[in-house]
Amino acid sequence: MPLNSEQRAATIREFQESMSRLGLTAERIGKDFGVSGSRVEQIITLKSGALEYPWIIRAYLLSKAAAQGVELTPSTALRGNPHDYWFLDGDFIDRGEID
């Protein structure tokens, strides 16, 4: 399901705030996934074309936050279990791979 303009803007802002709280850059995240920082930028600005990629980055950020004891900005749109959304490929998200 496409996000409305308010949800898009909030989600992009939430990704940026979460990365800032964790001291992460797109380049650092990209290294962890074996992709470029510009690829991560596409994903966190919701321009990747794959609905699952933002969920993969969100799970990554939540994992980093738990390890560091950091509280992240609650997500406006990327909430709950992605397996509960019929339009997402939960197995794809569980693999946690980005190309």
Side-chain angles (χ1 to χ4, degrees):
M1 298 295 235
L3 302 178
N4 65 38
S5 59
E6 288 178 19
Q7 290 171 317
R8 284 184 65 79
T11 300
I12 292 166
R13 184 186 71 250
E14 290 155 4
F15 271 128
Q16 294 167 340
E17 289 173 2
S18 293
M19 289 169 59
S20 177
R21 287 183 185 185
L22 293 167
L24 293 170
T25 63
E27 288 76 24
R28 174 68 250 159
I29 295 170
K31 284 183 183 177
D32 286 347
F33 283 99
V35 298
S36 68
S38 62
R39 183 68 175 129
V40 172
E41 284 289 336
Q42 282 181 322
I43 294 166
I44 64 173
T45 58
L46 308 179
K47 297 176 183 171
S48 69
L51 294 176
E52 290 79 8
Y53 286 156
W55 286 90
I56 291 170
I57 297 290
R58 178 76 178 150
Y60 167 90
L61 293 173
L62 289 171
S63 173
K64 291 286 189 187
Q68 295 180 25
V70 173
E71 188 171 326
L72 297 184
T73 302
S75 180
T76 300
L78 305 180
R79 301 161 44 154
N81 183 339
H83 290 274
D84 293 338
Y85 295 95
W86 63 268
F87 53 88
L88 294 173
D89 182 340
D91 293 335
F92 185 91
I93 293 169
D94 290 345
R95 282 194 297 278
E97 298 172 355
I98 295 173
D99 54 14

